[in-house]
Amino acid sequence: MGPLVSLSENIGTGRLVDRFGRVHDYLRISVTDRCNLRCLYCMPAEGVQFMDSGRLMTDEEIVRVVRVAARLGVRRLRITGGEPLVRPGIDRLIEALGAIPGIEDMAMTTNGVLLARRAERLRRAGLRRINISIDSLRPDRFAVITRGGDLSRVLEGLKAAERAGMSPIKINVVLLKGFNEDEIDDFLRLSIEKPYVVRFIEYMPIGHEDETWKNAYLPLRRVLDRCEELGYEIEPVQVPGNGPAENWRIRGGLGAFGLIHPVSEHFCAACNRLRLTADGYLKPCLYWQEEFNVRRCGGDEKAIEELFFRALDIKPERHEMAEALEGKSRSHTPTVRRMSQIGG
Ligand code: SAM
Ligand code: SF4
């Protein structure tokens, strides 16, 4: 870890370096908090209050923030939500973001329900990479985890993304004890048979550190144990992307699998990301409550720039999800936003 750098040293350098020497070149943008699914680990079953459309950042506002971010060294974007494909005109927004000087890479995370008819248009708008969330390959179980989702539509979306030439295609699987842990073998097999990157993700306590989380949380060590039990030879591989995943290939497989284990083994030392919520708050860390209202700056790009530095200046060294699991007290206050409001 580098020496501590203060806000005043950073302003004017044109680089997003925080107090711990971490360079930030990656922005995750939630374009809506709305969703056409209600995944168990992401949203409550009922009583979700979605933002009025007036509270959502407009295309123009998002483009302005990204223009400033790109001047400060942000090179990569991820479009997420809520479900990004329910935002009207999402392909126009993607096209506008991709045209901003400095932006080199853009990807999207989607539940895939609306992807079949949109993949081609999104690809033409400049989206080259996509992550599709599929927590179960069994239709009945998929419907339970997503509270009503239709797996066949998501699989159609997956095929359409492939046909449109998106690559690599990543499949996000949140592993949940007692729900889908018995599908680890099926997902590993999928990474052998198809050129997908299956990313196993630990269930995180974002906006809810309750018993549901503690009971369903599963450390990802389980996946490597299964590889050993199944006699798979695995080797580390590099996969294009910006994330903290540790990636492996099963020898002879067409694809790969990744492990994202924020709770059992945090990767904060290598954190390169900031987040923008759908209502225009800049979040230095997914876990903590601190956030900065970008919309207050109006069209003043200098003020937005300063906000980026303020966000970096208070970014804590790490999250404390593991402490939450052990019931220990935390150094700051965790966010009350749910994942659907931050974007993952
Ligand atoms: N609706 C899109 C989707 O589901 O892919 C994008 C938004 S979703 C919030 C982004 C990612 O966060 C998804 O892969 C989802 O599975 C994951 N996610 C949501 N809540 C989570 C939680 N509590 N712990 C870990 N991952 C979570
Ligand atoms: Fe919607 Fe994605 Fe959250 Fe599932 S994980 S409820 S699809 S935002």
Side-chain angles (χ1 to χ4, degrees):
M1 186 75 45
L4 294 188
V5 179
S6 79
L7 168 67
S8 51
E9 286 173 62
N10 244 332
I11 287 183
T13 61
R15 285 178 80 221
L16 294 169
V17 186
D18 75 358
R19 295 177 301 138
F20 304 98
R22 296 175 292 198
V23 179
H24 292 66
D25 63 356
Y26 178 36
L27 182 66
R28 297 177 64 99
I29 305 170
S30 171
V31 294
T32 178
D33 65 329
R34 285 176 191 266
C35 189
N36 42 7
L37 298 180
R38 295 282 182 281
C39 302
L40 296 174
Y41 49 75
C42 181
M43 277 198 203
E46 281 163 12
V48 188
Q49 288 288 325
F50 291 119
M51 297 167 190
D52 297 337
S53 57
R55 247 182 89 193
L56 295 182
M57 297 271 279
T58 63
D59 285 6
E60 196 190 338
E61 287 170 322
I62 295 174
V63 167
R64 184 181 300 125
V65 174
V66 172
R67 214 167 37 225
V68 172
R71 282 206 298 270
L72 298 174
V74 166
R75 297 287 166 261
R76 295 180 268 264
L77 304 177
R78 177 164 297 274
I79 311 302
T80 174
E83 172 47 39
L85 295 183
V86 305
R87 180 175 170 118
I90 184 67
D91 44 335
R92 283 197 308 275
L93 176 60
I94 284 178
E95 201 168 348
L97 293 174
I100 294 173
I103 296 304
E104 294 166 1
D105 176 59
M106 190 167 29
M108 175 184 280
T109 305
T110 170
N111 62 31
V113 170
L114 298 174
L115 191 56
R117 284 177 45 204
R118 312 271 177 90
E120 187 57 47
R121 216 178 327 146
L122 289 166
R123 179 69 190 86
R124 266 188 270 124
L127 192 73
R128 287 195 290 270
R129 304 196 295 109
I130 201 149
N131 289 36
I132 304 174
S133 301
I134 306 178
D135 299 317
S136 174
L137 297 168
R138 303 180 192 177
D140 48 344
R141 186 179 281 178
F142 182 85
V144 172
I145 293 179
T146 56
R147 298 199 185 95
D150 177 352
L151 179 63
S152 66
R153 288 186 70 181
V154 179
L155 297 179
E156 281 304 311
L158 173 65
K159 279 192 217 141
E162 244 182 310
R163 272 198 307 275
M166 292 193 194
S167 173
I169 292 181
K170 299 185 183 177
I171 296 181
N172 286 6
V173 184
V174 179
L175 266 195
L176 302 165
K177 198 196 290 169
F179 282 94
N180 61 359
E181 61 181 304
D182 57 348
E183 290 188 64
I184 293 175
D185 296 7
D186 296 342
F187 279 111
L188 287 174
R189 203 168 316 113
L190 187 66
S191 84
I192 297 176
E193 291 168 359
K194 294 281 187 182
Y196 309 144
V197 182
V198 174
R199 291 154 31 107
F200 295 101
I201 303 173
E202 281 179 354
Y203 181 9
M204 292 179 259
I206 305 300
H208 64 297
E209 299 190 349
D210 51 14
E211 290 307 306
T212 318
W213 168 61
K214 287 184 183 164
N215 292 335
Y217 164 73
L218 188 72
L220 291 190
R221 175 74 230 168
R222 185 87 198 92
V223 177
L224 294 179
D225 288 348
R226 270 318 281 159
C227 285
E228 209 174 314
E229 286 157 16
L230 292 163
Y232 288 147
E233 278 183 54
I234 59 171
E235 55 197 7
V237 283
Q238 293 287 336
V239 168
N242 318 300
E246 159 199 331
N247 294 300
W248 301 90
R249 184 193 304 281
I250 297 172
R251 194 149 292 166
L254 295 176
F257 72 90
L259 303 178
I260 300 177
H261 38 58
V263 184
S264 63
E265 213 180 316
H266 72 79
F267 29 74
C268 302
C271 187
N272 62 348
R273 58 193 54 196
L274 290 161
R275 292 176 166 82
L276 183 65
T277 65
D279 51 347
Y281 285 79
L282 200 56
K283 277 190 78 62
C285 178
L286 171 68
Y287 182 65
W288 302 116
Q289 76 169 1
E290 280 77 16
E291 47 187 42
F292 295 83
N293 187 349
V294 175
R295 295 185 106 183
R296 282 235 185 97
C297 303
D300 182 347
E301 298 197 3
K302 262 283 157 250
I304 298 175
E305 194 170 300
E306 198 157 313
L307 216 61
F308 269 93
F309 289 119
R310 279 180 56 203
L312 279 184
D313 207 39
I314 59 100
K315 179 160 175 156
E317 189 168 13
R318 63 182 188 89
H319 65 65
E320 293 170 25
M321 297 184 201
E323 283 81 347
L325 191 63
E326 292 159 14
K328 292 186 183 158
S329 64
R330 257 59 49 67
S331 63
H332 299 66
T333 310
T335 184
V336 291
R337 286 189 190 256
R338 297 294 290 228
M339 201 68 126
S340 58
Q341 296 176 316
I342 307 174

